[in-house]
Amino acid sequence: KNPTRSRLSACLSTEFESPVDSEGGSQKAGLIVGASLIAEGEALGHGEWIDREALAQVVELGNSDEKGVKVRFTHPSMSSDGLASYLGRAKELRLSEDGTKVLGDVHFSPVSRKRDDRGGYVLDLAEEDPAAFGMSIVFDPDRESSEAFSEEHSENGGFGSPDEANQKNLPHIRLSALHGADFVDSPAAN
């Protein structure tokens, strides 16, 4: 069975009855409980595979900073550093009940509710149409670990993924650092 990307649950986990609270969170500026940061399966457009070990790394790295993981409104571009896109922090990262997603609670900053109220926009969209967007992590790959994993699972010069859902035998990602999780229109791995 090949894991598929359900746009309906791309932003919000179905494990929570009322995941959006526009006045909740650690700073009372908004909260999304159980937002999906990344899911098992192909990282679309990247030619890489997200397995359960990669998900566990996201949880471990994300929980290593007590402030949480920085969350922004879209990824910065080559000509933009993303300063005005800060929304808040994802905290309490954990695996979903079925182990196929990393969930976190997004605590919005009061700063995100000023200026053009990007925080309010994301909270409204999460409530009204969660299938319209999702989250995408920003990380540094651990290329050595990925290559070692590929070598360990290679025969006759070709990589054979031990994950039967990875029918394309895409290389498995490994992370060395987690920098953020951004809300985007079309996430590659969520």
Side-chain angles (χ1 to χ4, degrees):
K1 182 178 173 216
N2 191 7
T4 58
R5 305 267 181 244
S6 167
R7 290 303 304 258
L8 181 59
S9 60
C11 177
L12 306 177
S13 171
T14 56
E15 294 176 18
F16 306 98
E17 191 174 317
S18 300
V20 180
D21 179 353
S22 62
E23 297 176 2
S26 60
Q27 298 183 37
K28 306 297 182 209
L31 174 68
I32 298 176
V33 176
S36 177
L37 279 70
I38 187 170
E40 180 180 36
E42 182 178 353
L44 302 173
H46 295 278
E48 296 180 298
W49 189 257
I50 313 302
D51 62 10
R52 301 225 175 163
E53 184 172 336
L55 296 179
Q57 289 179 323
V58 171
V59 170
E60 181 180 347
L61 290 167
N63 288 332
S64 66
D65 185 342
E66 65 184 42
K67 293 182 294 185
V69 176
K70 180 170 55 174
V71 175
R72 297 175 296 192
F73 185 84
T74 75
H75 291 313
S77 68
M78 293 287 283
S79 61
S80 168
D81 72 0
L83 179 61
S85 66
Y86 177 75
L87 293 176
R89 299 278 178 168
K91 300 177 182 182
E92 298 179 26
L93 274 57
R94 62 222 177 254
L95 292 175
S96 60
E97 288 178 2
D98 65 3
T100 63
K101 297 178 186 177
V102 173
L103 306 178
D105 300 337
V106 179
H107 296 259
F108 287 77
S109 167
V111 170
S112 75
R113 304 303 301 272
K114 296 178 181 175
R115 201 170 161 227
D116 38 348
D117 196 11
R118 289 183 175 176
Y121 171 78
V122 171
L123 288 160
D124 288 347
L125 189 58
E127 220 167 24
E128 294 171 19
D129 192 0
F133 72 119
M135 295 189 84
S136 176
I137 66 167
V138 179
F139 69 97
D140 290 334
D142 182 344
R143 300 226 186 271
E144 285 183 29
S145 293
S146 292
E147 289 171 13
F149 183 85
S150 291
E151 287 176 20
E152 180 183 337
H153 297 283
S154 292
E155 286 186 25
N156 302 323
F159 172 67
S161 175
D163 188 335
E164 66 183 48
N166 184 1
Q167 296 178 358
K168 297 179 186 176
N169 289 316
L170 298 170
H172 292 228
I173 69 158
R174 297 294 178 257
L175 292 77
S176 64
L178 178 64
H179 301 289
D182 301 338
F183 284 105
V184 297
D185 180 58
S186 297
N190 216 341

